[in-house]
mmCIF file of all heavy atoms in Angstrom:
data_model
loop_
_atom_site.group_PDB
_atom_site.id
_atom_site.type_symbol
_atom_site.label_atom_id
_atom_site.label_comp_id
_atom_site.label_asym_id
_atom_site.label_seq_id
_atom_site.Cartn_x
_atom_site.Cartn_y
_atom_site.Cartn_z
ATOM 1 N N HIS A 243 42.557 -51.651 46.288
ATOM 2 C CA HIS A 243 41.364 -50.953 45.787
ATOM 3 C C HIS A 243 41.640 -49.460 45.714
ATOM 4 O O HIS A 243 42.001 -48.823 46.704
ATOM 5 C CB HIS A 243 40.175 -51.213 46.720
ATOM 6 C CG HIS A 243 38.864 -50.705 46.199
ATOM 7 N ND1 HIS A 243 37.747 -51.495 46.104
ATOM 8 C CD2 HIS A 243 38.480 -49.490 45.740
ATOM 9 C CE1 HIS A 243 36.738 -50.797 45.608
ATOM 10 N NE2 HIS A 243 37.169 -49.561 45.391
ATOM 11 N N VAL A 244 41.432 -48.890 44.526
ATOM 12 C CA VAL A 244 41.455 -47.439 44.337
ATOM 13 C C VAL A 244 40.129 -47.058 43.688
ATOM 14 O O VAL A 244 39.779 -47.588 42.631
ATOM 15 C CB VAL A 244 42.631 -46.985 43.452
ATOM 16 C CG1 VAL A 244 42.567 -45.472 43.227
ATOM 17 C CG2 VAL A 244 43.963 -47.369 44.081
ATOM 18 N N GLY A 245 39.385 -46.158 44.334
ATOM 19 C CA GLY A 245 38.059 -45.819 43.824
ATOM 20 C C GLY A 245 37.754 -44.351 43.969
ATOM 21 O O GLY A 245 38.468 -43.601 44.645
ATOM 22 N N GLY A 246 36.644 -43.947 43.341
ATOM 23 C CA GLY A 246 36.241 -42.555 43.420
ATOM 24 C C GLY A 246 34.764 -42.381 43.145
ATOM 25 O O GLY A 246 34.156 -43.156 42.408
ATOM 26 N N VAL A 247 34.191 -41.345 43.768
ATOM 27 C CA VAL A 247 32.815 -40.925 43.523
ATOM 28 C C VAL A 247 32.863 -39.443 43.176
ATOM 29 O O VAL A 247 33.341 -38.626 43.976
ATOM 30 C CB VAL A 247 31.913 -41.149 44.760
ATOM 31 C CG1 VAL A 247 30.498 -40.658 44.486
ATOM 32 C CG2 VAL A 247 31.899 -42.618 45.157
ATOM 33 N N HIS A 248 32.388 -39.096 41.976
ATOM 34 C CA HIS A 248 32.467 -37.715 41.491
ATOM 35 C C HIS A 248 31.068 -37.251 41.124
ATOM 36 O O HIS A 248 30.350 -37.934 40.390
ATOM 37 C CB HIS A 248 33.408 -37.630 40.287
ATOM 38 C CG HIS A 248 34.823 -37.989 40.623
ATOM 39 N ND1 HIS A 248 35.816 -37.043 40.769
ATOM 40 C CD2 HIS A 248 35.402 -39.195 40.865
ATOM 41 C CE1 HIS A 248 36.951 -37.650 41.085
ATOM 42 N NE2 HIS A 248 36.717 -38.957 41.146
ATOM 43 N N VAL A 249 30.684 -36.070 41.653
ATOM 44 C CA VAL A 249 29.296 -35.631 41.601
ATOM 45 C C VAL A 249 29.208 -34.187 41.110
ATOM 46 O O VAL A 249 29.966 -33.324 41.563
ATOM 47 C CB VAL A 249 28.644 -35.723 43.002
ATOM 48 C CG1 VAL A 249 27.160 -35.367 42.936
ATOM 49 C CG2 VAL A 249 28.829 -37.113 43.605
ATOM 50 N N ASN A 250 28.262 -33.932 40.189
ATOM 51 C CA ASN A 250 27.882 -32.576 39.809
ATOM 52 C C ASN A 250 26.483 -32.289 40.335
ATOM 53 O O ASN A 250 25.546 -33.068 40.082
ATOM 54 C CB ASN A 250 27.875 -32.411 38.281
ATOM 55 C CG ASN A 250 29.261 -32.194 37.715
ATOM 56 O OD1 ASN A 250 30.223 -31.983 38.453
ATOM 57 N ND2 ASN A 250 29.388 -32.250 36.404
ATOM 58 N N LEU A 251 26.333 -31.191 41.069
ATOM 59 C CA LEU A 251 25.045 -30.785 41.625
ATOM 60 C C LEU A 251 24.557 -29.522 40.929
ATOM 61 O O LEU A 251 25.220 -28.480 40.981
ATOM 62 C CB LEU A 251 25.159 -30.537 43.125
ATOM 63 C CG LEU A 251 25.520 -31.743 44.009
ATOM 64 C CD1 LEU A 251 25.675 -31.308 45.458
ATOM 65 C CD2 LEU A 251 24.467 -32.831 43.891
ATOM 66 N N GLU A 252 23.387 -29.619 40.290
ATOM 67 C CA GLU A 252 22.786 -28.461 39.641
ATOM 68 C C GLU A 252 21.891 -27.716 40.638
ATOM 69 O O GLU A 252 21.899 -28.010 41.826
ATOM 70 C CB GLU A 252 22.004 -28.915 38.399
ATOM 71 C CG GLU A 252 22.842 -29.682 37.377
ATOM 72 C CD GLU A 252 23.982 -28.861 36.797
ATOM 73 O OE1 GLU A 252 23.890 -27.608 36.828
ATOM 74 O OE2 GLU A 252 24.971 -29.450 36.323
ATOM 75 N N ARG A 253 21.101 -26.773 40.164
ATOM 76 C CA ARG A 253 20.302 -25.908 41.027
ATOM 77 C C ARG A 253 19.388 -26.724 41.953
ATOM 78 O O ARG A 253 18.628 -27.585 41.503
ATOM 79 C CB ARG A 253 19.442 -24.966 40.165
ATOM 80 C CG ARG A 253 18.508 -24.060 40.964
ATOM 81 C CD ARG A 253 17.610 -23.252 40.035
ATOM 82 N NE ARG A 253 16.915 -24.108 39.088
ATOM 83 C CZ ARG A 253 15.819 -24.809 39.387
ATOM 84 N NH1 ARG A 253 15.311 -24.774 40.615
ATOM 85 N NH2 ARG A 253 15.240 -25.542 38.456
ATOM 86 N N ALA A 254 19.496 -26.454 43.248
ATOM 87 C CA ALA A 254 18.659 -27.078 44.281
ATOM 88 C C ALA A 254 18.768 -28.602 44.289
ATOM 89 O O ALA A 254 17.888 -29.280 44.819
ATOM 90 C CB ALA A 254 17.188 -26.661 44.123
ATOM 91 N N ALA A 255 19.826 -29.144 43.738
ATOM 92 C CA ALA A 255 20.047 -30.596 43.759
ATOM 93 C C ALA A 255 20.563 -31.016 45.125
ATOM 94 O O ALA A 255 21.183 -30.218 45.854
ATOM 95 C CB ALA A 255 21.037 -30.995 42.670
ATOM 96 N N ARG A 256 20.328 -32.301 45.475
ATOM 97 C CA ARG A 256 20.736 -32.792 46.787
ATOM 98 C C ARG A 256 21.401 -34.156 46.646
ATOM 99 O O ARG A 256 20.859 -35.061 45.997
ATOM 100 C CB ARG A 256 19.518 -32.883 47.722
ATOM 101 C CG ARG A 256 18.886 -31.530 47.990
ATOM 102 C CD ARG A 256 17.586 -31.606 48.752
ATOM 103 N NE ARG A 256 16.533 -32.314 48.030
ATOM 104 C CZ ARG A 256 15.829 -31.819 47.021
ATOM 105 N NH1 ARG A 256 16.085 -30.601 46.564
ATOM 106 N NH2 ARG A 256 14.876 -32.528 46.458
ATOM 107 N N PHE A 257 22.559 -34.276 47.275
ATOM 108 C CA PHE A 257 23.295 -35.540 47.319
ATOM 109 C C PHE A 257 23.504 -35.909 48.773
ATOM 110 O O PHE A 257 24.154 -35.181 49.521
ATOM 111 C CB PHE A 257 24.643 -35.415 46.601
ATOM 112 C CG PHE A 257 25.454 -36.698 46.587
ATOM 113 C CD1 PHE A 257 25.347 -37.588 45.531
ATOM 114 C CD2 PHE A 257 26.325 -37.011 47.630
ATOM 115 C CE1 PHE A 257 26.095 -38.764 45.506
ATOM 116 C CE2 PHE A 257 27.064 -38.182 47.620
ATOM 117 C CZ PHE A 257 26.950 -39.064 46.544
ATOM 118 N N HIS A 258 22.940 -37.043 49.184
ATOM 119 C CA HIS A 258 23.124 -37.562 50.535
ATOM 120 C C HIS A 258 23.959 -38.835 50.424
ATOM 121 O O HIS A 258 23.522 -39.815 49.798
ATOM 122 C CB HIS A 258 21.778 -37.863 51.193
ATOM 123 C CG HIS A 258 20.911 -36.656 51.371
ATOM 124 N ND1 HIS A 258 20.900 -35.920 52.536
ATOM 125 C CD2 HIS A 258 20.053 -36.032 50.529
ATOM 126 C CE1 HIS A 258 20.060 -34.903 52.408
ATOM 127 N NE2 HIS A 258 19.530 -34.948 51.203
ATOM 128 N N GLY A 259 25.148 -38.828 51.004
ATOM 129 C CA GLY A 259 26.057 -39.956 50.855
ATOM 130 C C GLY A 259 26.518 -40.511 52.186
ATOM 131 O O GLY A 259 26.699 -39.769 53.165
ATOM 132 N N PHE A 260 26.702 -41.832 52.197
ATOM 133 C CA PHE A 260 27.310 -42.508 53.344
ATOM 134 C C PHE A 260 28.340 -43.497 52.804
ATOM 135 O O PHE A 260 28.070 -44.250 51.860
ATOM 136 C CB PHE A 260 26.274 -43.263 54.175
ATOM 137 C CG PHE A 260 26.888 -44.066 55.296
ATOM 138 C CD1 PHE A 260 27.219 -43.458 56.501
ATOM 139 C CD2 PHE A 260 27.192 -45.421 55.132
ATOM 140 C CE1 PHE A 260 27.812 -44.182 57.524
ATOM 141 C CE2 PHE A 260 27.777 -46.150 56.151
ATOM 142 C CZ PHE A 260 28.092 -45.535 57.353
ATOM 143 N N THR A 261 29.517 -43.491 53.414
ATOM 144 C CA THR A 261 30.560 -44.425 53.005
ATOM 145 C C THR A 261 31.213 -45.034 54.234
ATOM 146 O O THR A 261 31.396 -44.354 55.260
ATOM 147 C CB THR A 261 31.617 -43.726 52.125
ATOM 148 O OG1 THR A 261 32.657 -44.657 51.787
ATOM 149 C CG2 THR A 261 32.234 -42.526 52.833
ATOM 150 N N LEU A 262 31.533 -46.314 54.145
ATOM 151 C CA LEU A 262 32.228 -47.019 55.225
ATOM 152 C C LEU A 262 33.251 -47.950 54.597
ATOM 153 O O LEU A 262 32.959 -48.637 53.610
ATOM 154 C CB LEU A 262 31.242 -47.809 56.084
ATOM 155 C CG LEU A 262 31.845 -48.581 57.270
ATOM 156 C CD1 LEU A 262 30.878 -48.556 58.466
ATOM 157 C CD2 LEU A 262 32.150 -50.040 56.891
ATOM 158 N N ALA A 263 34.455 -47.974 55.168
ATOM 159 C CA ALA A 263 35.504 -48.823 54.602
ATOM 160 C C ALA A 263 36.375 -49.419 55.691
ATOM 161 O O ALA A 263 36.783 -48.718 56.632
ATOM 162 C CB ALA A 263 36.386 -48.020 53.637
ATOM 163 N N GLN A 264 36.612 -50.714 55.576
ATOM 164 C CA GLN A 264 37.714 -51.327 56.300
ATOM 165 C C GLN A 264 38.983 -51.116 55.493
ATOM 166 O O GLN A 264 38.948 -50.801 54.300
ATOM 167 C CB GLN A 264 37.452 -52.818 56.496
ATOM 168 C CG GLN A 264 36.307 -53.119 57.440
ATOM 169 C CD GLN A 264 36.074 -54.601 57.647
ATOM 170 O OE1 GLN A 264 34.971 -55.033 57.853
ATOM 171 N NE2 GLN A 264 37.140 -55.388 57.569
ATOM 172 N N GLY A 265 40.120 -51.291 56.137
ATOM 173 C CA GLY A 265 41.377 -51.061 55.454
ATOM 174 C C GLY A 265 41.835 -52.274 54.666
ATOM 175 O O GLY A 265 41.234 -53.348 54.694
ATOM 176 N N SER A 266 42.925 -52.084 53.938
ATOM 177 C CA SER A 266 43.574 -53.178 53.211
ATOM 178 C C SER A 266 45.041 -52.793 53.014
ATOM 179 O O SER A 266 45.511 -51.798 53.563
ATOM 180 C CB SER A 266 42.890 -53.433 51.869
ATOM 181 O OG SER A 266 43.122 -52.370 50.972
ATOM 182 N N ARG A 267 45.753 -53.574 52.225
ATOM 183 C CA ARG A 267 47.148 -53.191 51.952
ATOM 184 C C ARG A 267 47.210 -51.874 51.192
ATOM 185 O O ARG A 267 48.166 -51.108 51.329
ATOM 186 C CB ARG A 267 47.847 -54.304 51.161
ATOM 187 C CG ARG A 267 48.115 -55.554 51.992
ATOM 188 C CD ARG A 267 49.122 -56.451 51.298
ATOM 189 N NE ARG A 267 48.633 -56.900 50.007
ATOM 190 C CZ ARG A 267 49.364 -56.950 48.900
ATOM 191 N NH1 ARG A 267 50.622 -56.562 48.924
ATOM 192 N NH2 ARG A 267 48.842 -57.394 47.771
ATOM 193 N N LEU A 268 46.194 -51.612 50.368
ATOM 194 C CA LEU A 268 46.072 -50.332 49.683
ATOM 195 C C LEU A 268 44.590 -50.067 49.467
ATOM 196 O O LEU A 268 43.915 -50.813 48.755
ATOM 197 C CB LEU A 268 46.798 -50.347 48.330
ATOM 198 C CG LEU A 268 46.525 -49.137 47.413
ATOM 199 C CD1 LEU A 268 47.025 -47.852 48.066
ATOM 200 C CD2 LEU A 268 47.178 -49.333 46.049
ATOM 201 N N LYS A 269 44.092 -49.024 50.096
ATOM 202 C CA LYS A 269 42.701 -48.616 49.871
ATOM 203 C C LYS A 269 42.650 -47.102 49.828
ATOM 204 O O LYS A 269 42.908 -46.422 50.818
ATOM 205 C CB LYS A 269 41.775 -49.157 50.944
ATOM 206 C CG LYS A 269 40.297 -48.819 50.699
ATOM 207 C CD LYS A 269 39.389 -49.769 51.445
ATOM 208 C CE LYS A 269 39.450 -51.161 50.843
ATOM 209 N NZ LYS A 269 38.659 -52.140 51.631
ATOM 210 N N ARG A 270 42.310 -46.581 48.672
ATOM 211 C CA ARG A 270 42.223 -45.136 48.464
ATOM 212 C C ARG A 270 40.859 -44.838 47.828
ATOM 213 O O ARG A 270 40.508 -45.409 46.796
ATOM 214 C CB ARG A 270 43.357 -44.660 47.561
ATOM 215 C CG ARG A 270 43.204 -43.267 46.967
ATOM 216 C CD ARG A 270 43.309 -42.163 47.990
ATOM 217 N NE ARG A 270 43.238 -40.853 47.322
ATOM 218 C CZ ARG A 270 44.292 -40.066 47.112
ATOM 219 N NH1 ARG A 270 45.495 -40.441 47.521
ATOM 220 N NH2 ARG A 270 44.162 -38.909 46.494
ATOM 221 N N ILE A 271 40.100 -43.935 48.452
ATOM 222 C CA ILE A 271 38.786 -43.571 47.945
ATOM 223 C C ILE A 271 38.693 -42.050 47.885
ATOM 224 O O ILE A 271 38.911 -41.374 48.900
ATOM 225 C CB ILE A 271 37.664 -44.145 48.826
ATOM 226 C CG1 ILE A 271 37.768 -45.674 48.893
ATOM 227 C CG2 ILE A 271 36.291 -43.736 48.288
ATOM 228 C CD1 ILE A 271 36.838 -46.310 49.896
ATOM 229 N N ASP A 272 38.384 -41.526 46.718
ATOM 230 C CA ASP A 272 38.239 -40.085 46.516
ATOM 231 C C ASP A 272 36.764 -39.729 46.347
ATOM 232 O O ASP A 272 36.018 -40.440 45.669
ATOM 233 C CB ASP A 272 38.980 -39.629 45.257
ATOM 234 C CG ASP A 272 40.487 -39.634 45.431
ATOM 235 O OD1 ASP A 272 40.955 -40.013 46.511
ATOM 236 O OD2 ASP A 272 41.196 -39.273 44.472
ATOM 237 N N TYR A 273 36.372 -38.618 46.962
ATOM 238 C CA TYR A 273 35.069 -38.011 46.710
ATOM 239 C C TYR A 273 35.307 -36.607 46.190
ATOM 240 O O TYR A 273 36.042 -35.833 46.810
ATOM 241 C CB TYR A 273 34.230 -37.930 47.994
ATOM 242 C CG TYR A 273 33.384 -39.142 48.285
ATOM 243 C CD1 TYR A 273 33.953 -40.276 48.852
ATOM 244 C CD2 TYR A 273 32.022 -39.160 48.003
ATOM 245 C CE1 TYR A 273 33.181 -41.397 49.134
ATOM 246 C CE2 TYR A 273 31.244 -40.277 48.284
ATOM 247 C CZ TYR A 273 31.827 -41.392 48.847
ATOM 248 O OH TYR A 273 31.058 -42.504 49.117
ATOM 249 N N GLN A 274 34.689 -36.266 45.069
ATOM 250 C CA GLN A 274 34.715 -34.884 44.595
ATOM 251 C C GLN A 274 33.300 -34.474 44.249
ATOM 252 O O GLN A 274 32.608 -35.132 43.464
ATOM 253 C CB GLN A 274 35.613 -34.711 43.372
ATOM 254 C CG GLN A 274 35.445 -33.358 42.698
ATOM 255 C CD GLN A 274 36.733 -32.627 42.429
ATOM 256 O OE1 GLN A 274 37.820 -33.155 42.633
ATOM 257 N NE2 GLN A 274 36.623 -31.391 41.965
ATOM 258 N N VAL A 275 32.840 -33.370 44.867
ATOM 259 C CA VAL A 275 31.486 -32.873 44.648
ATOM 260 C C VAL A 275 31.581 -31.427 44.177
ATOM 261 O O VAL A 275 32.238 -30.599 44.824
ATOM 262 C CB VAL A 275 30.633 -32.973 45.922
ATOM 263 C CG1 VAL A 275 29.217 -32.460 45.660
ATOM 264 C CG2 VAL A 275 30.599 -34.417 46.436
ATOM 265 N N ASN A 276 30.903 -31.132 43.067
ATOM 266 C CA ASN A 276 30.938 -29.801 42.471
ATOM 267 C C ASN A 276 29.562 -29.154 42.576
ATOM 268 O O ASN A 276 28.591 -29.624 41.963
ATOM 269 C CB ASN A 276 31.350 -29.893 40.993
ATOM 270 C CG ASN A 276 32.660 -30.628 40.798
ATOM 271 O OD1 ASN A 276 33.656 -30.316 41.446
ATOM 272 N ND2 ASN A 276 32.663 -31.605 39.914
ATOM 273 N N HIS A 277 29.472 -28.083 43.375
ATOM 274 C CA HIS A 277 28.241 -27.293 43.439
ATOM 275 C C HIS A 277 28.198 -26.381 42.212
ATOM 276 O O HIS A 277 28.937 -25.402 42.142
ATOM 277 C CB HIS A 277 28.213 -26.448 44.714
ATOM 278 C CG HIS A 277 27.988 -27.237 45.965
ATOM 279 N ND1 HIS A 277 26.744 -27.677 46.347
ATOM 280 C CD2 HIS A 277 28.846 -27.663 46.926
ATOM 281 C CE1 HIS A 277 26.838 -28.333 47.497
ATOM 282 N NE2 HIS A 277 28.111 -28.345 47.870
ATOM 283 N N GLN A 278 27.297 -26.691 41.287
ATOM 284 C CA GLN A 278 27.247 -25.945 40.030
ATOM 285 C C GLN A 278 25.966 -25.139 39.859
ATOM 286 O O GLN A 278 25.867 -24.338 38.924
ATOM 287 C CB GLN A 278 27.421 -26.897 38.845
ATOM 288 C CG GLN A 278 28.735 -27.647 38.884
ATOM 289 C CD GLN A 278 29.093 -28.324 37.585
ATOM 290 O OE1 GLN A 278 30.261 -28.428 37.224
ATOM 291 N NE2 GLN A 278 28.084 -28.795 36.874
ATOM 292 N N GLY A 279 24.986 -25.354 40.745
ATOM 293 C CA GLY A 279 23.744 -24.603 40.675
ATOM 294 C C GLY A 279 23.375 -24.088 42.052
ATOM 295 O O GLY A 279 23.616 -24.742 43.074
ATOM 296 N N GLU A 280 22.801 -22.907 42.126
ATOM 297 C CA GLU A 280 22.467 -22.298 43.408
ATOM 298 C C GLU A 280 21.485 -23.166 44.186
ATOM 299 O O GLU A 280 20.600 -23.808 43.623
ATOM 300 C CB GLU A 280 21.864 -20.909 43.184
ATOM 301 C CG GLU A 280 22.857 -19.901 42.625
ATOM 302 C CD GLU A 280 22.308 -18.483 42.654
ATOM 303 O OE1 GLU A 280 21.411 -18.209 43.481
ATOM 304 O OE2 GLU A 280 22.775 -17.651 41.849
ATOM 305 N N GLY A 281 21.661 -23.178 45.504
ATOM 306 C CA GLY A 281 20.753 -23.907 46.376
ATOM 307 C C GLY A 281 21.054 -25.386 46.500
ATOM 308 O O GLY A 281 20.283 -26.120 47.131
#
Side-chain angles (χ1 to χ4, degrees):
H243 188 127
V244 177
V247 178
H248 296 256
V249 184
N250 280 350
L251 296 177
E252 303 298 337
R253 177 185 53 80
R256 297 172 297 284
F257 181 92
H258 297 266
F260 175 82
T261 178
L262 181 144
Q264 292 181 212
S266 70
R267 289 196 299 137
L268 170 63
K269 183 159 291 175
R270 165 69 176 256
I271 301 171
D272 287 1
Y273 271 80
Q274 169 130 6
V275 181
N276 305 309
H277 288 281
Q278 300 194 146
E280 293 191 24

